[in-house]
Amino acid sequence: MTTPLRVRFAPSPTGSLHVGGARTALFNWLAARHAKGTFILRMEDTDRERSTPESEAEILRVLQWLGLDWDEGPFRQSDRDDLYRDCIGRLKEAGAVYAAWETAEELDAMRAEARANKQAPVVRGRRDWTADEIAGFEAEGRTPVWRFAVPLPGETAIEDMIRGTVTYDHAQIEDFVVARSDGTPTYNLAAAVDDMDMGINRVIRGEDHLSNTPKQMLVIRALGAEPPQYAHVPLILGTDKKRLSKRHGAASVEELEADGFLPQPVRNALVLLGWSYDDKTTTFTLEELIEKFDVTRVSKSPAVFDLKKLEVMSGRYLRALDPDAFADDLMGFLESSGYLADKGDGAADLAHRSAPLVQRKLSRLNEYDRLAGWMFHPLEFEDDAWAFLAGDVKHAIQSVGGGLGRIEVLDEFTVDNIKDALSDQLHVLGMTAREFLEPQRIAITGTTISTGIYESLELIGRDEAVARYRSTLGRLAESWQGGDA
RNA sequence: GGCGCAUUCGUCUAGGGGCCUAGGACGCUGCCCUCUCACGGCGGUAACACGGGUUCAAAUCCCGUAUGCGCUACCA
């Protein structure tokens, strides 16, 4: 009978959730759901300086946006001080830690000397202070830190689920601080105690924690417990192969959301960073991920985060959506991003009706404006669009005028009728499709990239369409007279 | 400097001694489709970091080198 899996995601609330953190959260969540275990959320806010409630709230919000619900928590280390103090007390009683009175200068000197001698720069505090010396320190108001007495000689081996056995010689591990001079616990103490106290039996976290692991294992064992299983996942890099950070752009999930990516493709892209199911499958539904995810299949080497690939996945996902579902997602994005806010009364309705026209053209929801933004304001020409018309004004007038002549007399202003009418005119003029149709697009949208021409015409209606055509013709005429006459 | 981890197409990866003249995906690129852009379809391009071993046989195992990254705090 195996014990139920208990995993946790333990971010420090010192900023928004990064792609790397999000992937770690995803891996943990998937492991929990796969095994029908428990996913616990814990805020590691022992750094009082940098931790903020805003950051915590943002992380929670993003986790929910990603669909990663937690079963227990969020716990905060700042609420658990009694537990840590109790454990530190137990370590003192067991003689596993000792008071260290060295000053920062003495420590620096110690490490500098070791480094100069090409030795590991580890601190081993003095443990033979005399009662007089201690009394002296206390008289000055000095308080000691408590260091873990790393057993020497010795070694600690991590049986990592991803990397195999990784062994650390205790000679390389310094007597790390577990309690600061103000009595508060350090990360290595708090994390170890929490994992133990919360019954975490598998720790899935970034490789940057690999070197800390033996310290935490030592603490847990000194407290009389067995360490959990560990799985250290490789880091995520930016395109320059450096650890992913803000300067790589769109490195936070918050930014991805703002850029118009939906949770599903983001999850899909994230999970494939370091994990694969086989040599072919590249898209998974959430259910498939839960069913197939296995942390032992996570690769050992770091992965570069490629926004372009996310974009491709996102585009495919959007196109495959049921039209109604797509419209809902689009409207949700447009509303939450405030896009519709200053667009007037009919904007939401117009946007909703335009959804089918953009569905197969977008890879990100925030590309909507590029494609359909023209609908929300009076006709104005983008430079390259105007250049297309102005390049051959006579031809442009012929095309636009020809188009106008056909559509203004249409009884029923439907896509089919519009298409027939314009196709017919195209043949009458004997132009190529691009020669004739591109001016129609520009005449009503003012841009060269937009929703489809016939659909766009139908959407705005004959009156608006005719008005835009005339406006375009007017400007073309001005240009003609002022031009090469 | 010390210790640790890693290294397959530009990128994400499959592969775990013979199935590999190394597979897939994205990118890039050629062609087709076509009422712009896009979408879609069919091809192509491109990799086992290097050097030694072990073995009948190595991308796969071992050693070394190089490179990258991580840790090296009274940060997490």
Side-chain angles (χ1 to χ4, degrees), chain A residues 470-483:
Chain A
R470 289 196 171 133
S471 167
T472 302
L473 239 22
R475 288 208 41 189
L476 246 15
E478 265 175 52
S479 169
W480 177 243
Q481 285 159 0

Side-chain angles (χ1 to χ4, degrees), chain A residues 415-429:
Chain A
V415 170
D416 287 345
N417 288 348
I418 293 166
K419 179 174 182 178
D420 289 345
L422 290 181
S423 297
D424 192 48
Q425 182 63 21
L426 187 163
H427 293 122
V428 169
L429 292 174

Side-chain angles (χ1 to χ4, degrees), chain A residues 17 45 50 103 107 126 144 166 169 238 251-252 264 267 289 292 314 319 322 353 384 391 402 411 419 446 458 466:
Chain A
L17 189 63
D45 58 352
R50 299 192 299 150
T103 62
L107 296 177
R126 260 186 71 186
V166 181
D169 185 334
S252 74
Q264 174 59 23
R267 268 187 238 120
L289 283 179
K292 296 176 174 10
S314 173
R319 264 172 255 125
D322 170 88
R353 286 192 293 134
D384 60 337
D411 283 338
K419 179 174 182 178
E458 184 195 52
V466 168

Side-chain angles (χ1 to χ4, degrees), chain A residues 206-220:
Chain A
E207 192 196 338
D208 48 339
H209 289 287
L210 190 56
S211 303
N212 293 318
T213 305
K215 297 177 186 172
Q216 295 171 19
M217 291 172 76
L218 250 12
V219 169
I220 291 172

Side-chain angles (χ1 to χ4, degrees), chain A residues 260-271:
Chain A
F261 291 108
L262 256 20
Q264 174 59 23
V266 169
R267 268 187 238 120
N268 204 109
L270 246 30
V271 81

